[in-house]
Amino acid sequence: MRLKLVSLLIILSGLSACSTTEKPTKNSDSINTSANALQNQATSADAIYKLALNRTGADKIQLLYSARDAAISEQSWPLLENICNELEQTPSVDKIQNRLYIAYAQKQQNKNDQALVILQSLDGQLKQPEHFAWHQYLTASIYASQNFPKRAAPLFFRASETANKNNIEIPALQSALWDNLTKLSSYALERFNRGSVIQQGWTNLALYHQVYANSGVELDQAINNWRRRYPGHPAVAILPEQDEALADLAPVNIERLAVLLPQSGANERLGDALKAGILAGLDKQTINDTVFIDENLSTQVLSEQLSQFNPDFVIGPLLKANIDKLAQAKTLIDTPTLHLNTFDAERLSLQHYFFALNPEHEVQQALEHFLAKGYQKPMLLAPNNANGQRLVDYFNIQWQRYSETKPQIGFYNDNKDMPNTITSLLEVDKSKQRIKTVKSLFKQEVESETRSRSDIDAIYILGDAIETRLIKPYLDVNVSTFAQRIPLYASSKSHSKQIDRTDKGDLEGLYFTELPWMLNATVKQHNLRNQYNTLWPENADISQRLFAMAYDAVSVLSDIRQLSVMPGNKFTGLSGKLSVNTSGHIERTLDWAQYTNRRIKAVQLETKQPVPLFMQSANESNTLTFD
């Protein structure tokens, strides 16, 4: 972080040097002496700023400059924004440079929409190469922070080209550009492999790291060829760092594996399901020695057993309480570990990863499909309990990032409460009341039919398999026959292989997300599935899902480092397509399926990464060039 601050000061000092706007005469001895004497009275950015507010003229401006630099060093971003706003009122200040400072301060406070407004307002005014390079770099950084590497890449390239051509020092630029490239797929990189020599050099270096990720020798040779082809390229600055990281790209070599699972207590059944998946996964691996340890043992006993076994990798624990227990004791801090649950605290080691059947993954996948389809008013139905409220809150928060509309939410307390919840949400109760009022005005019989509201364009059910089978018929009879049928969606909780054996009819047309392992139409490991069905024909759905998760936990180990440094890559497993985010958590993309004619069929539903609201008004492409 300190290096980033020093780099920023270097960058902004360069911006100050390039300004053509008239500034206070800094070589005036009287002004310098006065401002320096005042500054010596202050010990912080805030103190310098307050001193400046009580001065006028050149003394004030010089003190504001000093306060601005101090605020950056102290990472006081709200104060930096206030200082720059004060400088904004001074006619002799370089306006473009100062606006870039404000945009930077806003970005650091996650005010990305405001920062982009400022950056877009500067388009066409960037005559100085330092201003242009900083503008492109900052805009790209905002896009990259929002996980839009494709949109960020051209901006990063232009910043790098301008800095290289004009000998501008932006130390943070190269590492940020490289980090962004590692998030792109090989297909996306190929599309960028054109244009300037600088752009092609960056792209080819990233492609080499992807193509030869599994072979250190070949990667070394490719990088040596790259050095000869692109002498003096700015990416040379990050090569030593990448050379040191080659070991992180190599497949993990595991000879001794320790597995921590609940083998006693209330969760022993879950541990048995996971153990079966681990053992099945080990059949495909070359791991020589595996030991299973009860995660419910005391921290001291666990530490002793692990120390005695000395594993190359650990899988587990499953229970959050036990993950927290070992984290507090730092028992696994020096051992690569794949925990079988999420972790809310700060990650202790870059060698620690987290894998869970997180329902939020499915909610995010459904939300992205809704946005891709252009749905404006989805309706969510969920049980009125902690899990239902958590998932609805997650959907709400994410939805508000991308849409100005608000989803319709309905919580039901129990089965008896479902009809009232649905008729109220669809406003069928109001329609019935209107019909009743009209009928009371006429003595003869009046033909009538209830109407439901027409603005709901998708319904997402977050109930379990039994609840979904009760909700679906209520929806069918309460949606007006005059209206277009509303597409219905659900999570994997709605699907039960056990219940489906005898009852699929009530779910006709319903779309749902599910693990490939649970869908006969998408599972690739047919022999494994048949063996499982033979051994455990009556296993509960949760046991089957945990089996798939544990199988994937073993299978992904050799690739997990590559997935963590190349977030665009995915591993295809029984539990979905797996990727690793920057916090070490494995994220899943599940398959879509639909109930059709009393059968389940795999379907491909449109989905794409949504664009946040603050970026939707941004220009789709920045065509500004600099010569």
Side-chain angles (χ1 to χ4, degrees), residues 72-89:
I72 294 171
S73 296
E74 296 171 12
Q75 303 181 50
S76 300
W77 310 123
L79 178 59
L80 175 60
E81 187 175 358
N82 290 337
I83 294 169
C84 293
N85 285 329
E86 186 69 29
L87 281 166
E88 188 92 342
Q89 311 305 315

Side-chain angles (χ1 to χ4, degrees), residues 191-204:
R191 298 188 65 181
F192 283 121
N193 196 9
R194 51 186 172 78
S196 70
V197 174
I198 297 297
Q199 180 168 327
Q200 291 184 49
W202 279 112
T203 305
N204 279 311

